[in-house]
Amino acid sequence: MPDVSSTSSSAKAYEKLKLLILQGEIARGEPLIERTIAERLGVSRTPVRETIQRLEREGLVRVIEGKGAFVASYTAEDLIEIYQLREALEPLAARLACDHMESDVLDRFEGEFNRQKADPRTREDDPDSWTRLGRAFHEAFIQASGNERLVKVISGMQEQIELFRGLGRTISPNAISESTVDEHLEILHALKTRDPLRAETAVKVHLQNALHYRLEGLRLYGRRSLS
């Protein structure tokens, strides 16, 4: 029988370390020293080692022979590639979702977006809540597309998408702005009116703007790192 305590420790280490990376609390390119991470997470080194291997398979960690493990440090080219894929796939998902997304789900998201729009301090004081809301909305219309293969492909990129969301919190403060709320509302209204072309266009514009914000943030972040 598998050791339950060992399995529990591995799961705990995985969830905690993954969250620290995705939220940008462990910076991109930072070394992951097993002993230090184990002390920080309150587990032994074995589950940390297993977690690092698992996160390497997911693309969040890079292991360099003879040097050790590091949080994946993506370049502008990596960022562009991810957004190119998102721009090819997510607008299609929104187009397909127009016929399937339930009105009560859209109503709930509309209420949340309007609350965020009415009080911008909410996004400033708790950016993670805005990130969770945006992620949930994207996941909802992607799932509502009804295309299992499309959902699976996007899901396969999810960890890297989340890494860039976390990166955005540290390098791209403009990404949390009035315009992003309006962009999400535009997508939502297109879905509510069952207008596939409008939905497709709205998602495409939103992703293009998100890429622009993050590329600009990456450029400024690089300057600050060198100063």
Side-chain angles (χ1 to χ4, degrees):
M1 291 181 64
D3 186 334
V4 175
S5 62
S6 175
T7 302
S8 176
S9 294
S10 293
K12 175 183 174 183
Y14 171 75
E15 294 298 335
K16 283 190 172 184
L17 184 55
K18 182 176 179 179
L19 191 62
L20 289 171
I21 292 172
L22 292 179
Q23 290 184 338
E25 292 188 39
I26 300 181
R28 60 198 183 98
E30 187 170 327
L32 296 171
I33 301 168
E34 287 182 12
R35 182 184 67 257
T36 304
I37 296 296
E39 291 173 357
R40 183 170 183 175
L41 301 184
V43 298
S44 69
R45 293 175 65 174
T46 299
V48 170
R49 190 175 305 117
E50 293 169 353
T51 291
I52 288 173
Q53 291 171 352
R54 185 172 174 183
L55 293 175
E56 181 190 16
R57 291 194 295 270
E58 293 177 1
L60 297 184
V61 167
R62 288 181 178 171
V63 176
I64 301 175
E65 182 106 20
K67 293 186 177 180
F70 301 82
V71 176
S73 181
Y74 289 93
T75 65
E77 288 72 24
D78 294 317
L79 184 61
I80 290 168
E81 285 184 5
I82 288 292
Y83 272 87
Q84 283 175 335
L85 285 169
R86 292 187 70 186
E87 192 180 327
L89 299 172
E90 291 188 34
L92 172 59
R95 168 186 276 276
L96 297 173
C98 282
D99 291 333
H100 306 292
M101 204 156 180
E102 297 178 2
S103 296
D104 61 331
V105 173
L106 291 169
D107 288 341
R108 286 199 298 274
F109 278 115
E110 186 171 28
E112 290 295 328
F113 289 141
N114 282 329
R115 276 190 285 276
Q116 294 272 354
K117 184 177 174 67
D119 187 4
R121 289 175 303 178
T122 303
R123 301 191 301 282
E124 296 167 5
D125 296 341
D126 187 7
D128 285 341
S129 69
W130 168 250
T131 301
R132 287 192 297 271
L133 177 60
R135 178 175 62 232
F137 179 58
H138 280 258
E139 288 175 352
F141 72 71
I142 290 167
Q143 289 289 336
S145 71
N147 186 314
E148 292 184 11
R149 287 177 174 80
L150 179 61
V151 172
K152 188 173 181 179
V153 171
I154 297 174
S155 177
M157 301 191 303
Q158 200 59 43
E159 304 305 339
Q160 293 180 61
I161 291 171
E162 288 304 312
L163 185 64
F164 283 122
R165 283 194 176 115
L167 182 66
R169 282 190 285 274
T170 57
I171 68 169
S172 186
N174 288 335
I176 303 175
S177 66
E178 189 72 20
S179 63
T180 60
V181 182
D182 289 337
E183 287 166 10
H184 282 85
L185 281 168
E186 171 62 16
I187 298 167
L188 186 141
H189 293 153
L191 292 167
K192 285 191 80 169
T193 57
R194 312 298 175 185
D195 186 333
L197 180 58
R198 181 183 174 189
E200 187 175 40
T201 301
V203 173
K204 186 173 292 189
V205 168
H206 167 59
L207 292 173
Q208 288 171 346
N209 287 338
L211 174 59
H212 169 77
Y213 287 137
R214 282 166 174 76
L215 285 173
E216 180 65 13
L218 199 61
R219 184 178 64 82
L220 294 174
Y221 183 83
R223 283 184 179 177
R224 290 198 301 271
S225 298
L226 293 172
S227 63

